[in-house]
Amino acid sequence: MPEGEYRPINRSVLPAKKDVLDFTYEGDILGALPALKEVAPQIDVMPSLGRPSPLLVRIHLQGTTLENALRAIGEQGGDVADVVWSTTRHQGGNQAFVRFRTSNTESQPSTNQRVAE
């Protein structure tokens, strides 16, 4: 009498890796994170910071990780925007947002002015 588990040889027994995803997006950088959330629901997309500036991004990734997808979006931000990702658990974990950089011609408040606001 045969013993053990039987399974069809033509079907994979390995579960699909949940940390690997495919991500394709073309459009404004502000729409990239909500689009990524559709394939990686574990991220929490937060509102952007700074003055938004239109910025076209094109992403086509196969079999990548969430971190690499976020990095690819951020790399296309160039000198205009950064993608910020926090994995700190006490703040909810997996929070991501776009932070637009201020231009060098704009005056930035000093540390004292920020505290006073």
Side-chain angles (χ1 to χ4, degrees), residues 29 33 36 43-50 66-67 69-75 77 80-88 91 93-101:
I29 195 167
L33 293 180
L36 180 58
I43 66 167
D44 186 15
V45 178
M46 308 299 288
S48 65
L49 292 178
L66 173 59
E67 182 175 355
L70 291 167
R71 183 175 291 118
I73 297 167
E75 287 172 352
V80 177
D82 296 311
V83 171
V84 179
W85 182 36
S86 172
T87 58
T88 307
Q91 293 179 343
N94 280 334
Q95 296 174 333
F97 62 92
V98 175
R99 178 180 56 204
F100 289 92
R101 299 180 188 176

Side-chain angles (χ1 to χ4, degrees), residues 19 34 39 43 55 64 70 89 106:
D19 59 344
V39 295
I43 66 167
L55 179 63
T64 192
L70 291 167
R89 293 189 192 274
E106 293 178 11

Side-chain angles (χ1 to χ4, degrees), residues 23 57-61 66-77 83:
F23 178 58
V57 295
R58 290 185 181 108
I59 311 288
H60 181 73
L61 301 169
L66 173 59
E67 182 175 355
N68 287 338
L70 291 167
R71 183 175 291 118
I73 297 167
E75 287 172 352
Q76 292 193 29
V83 171

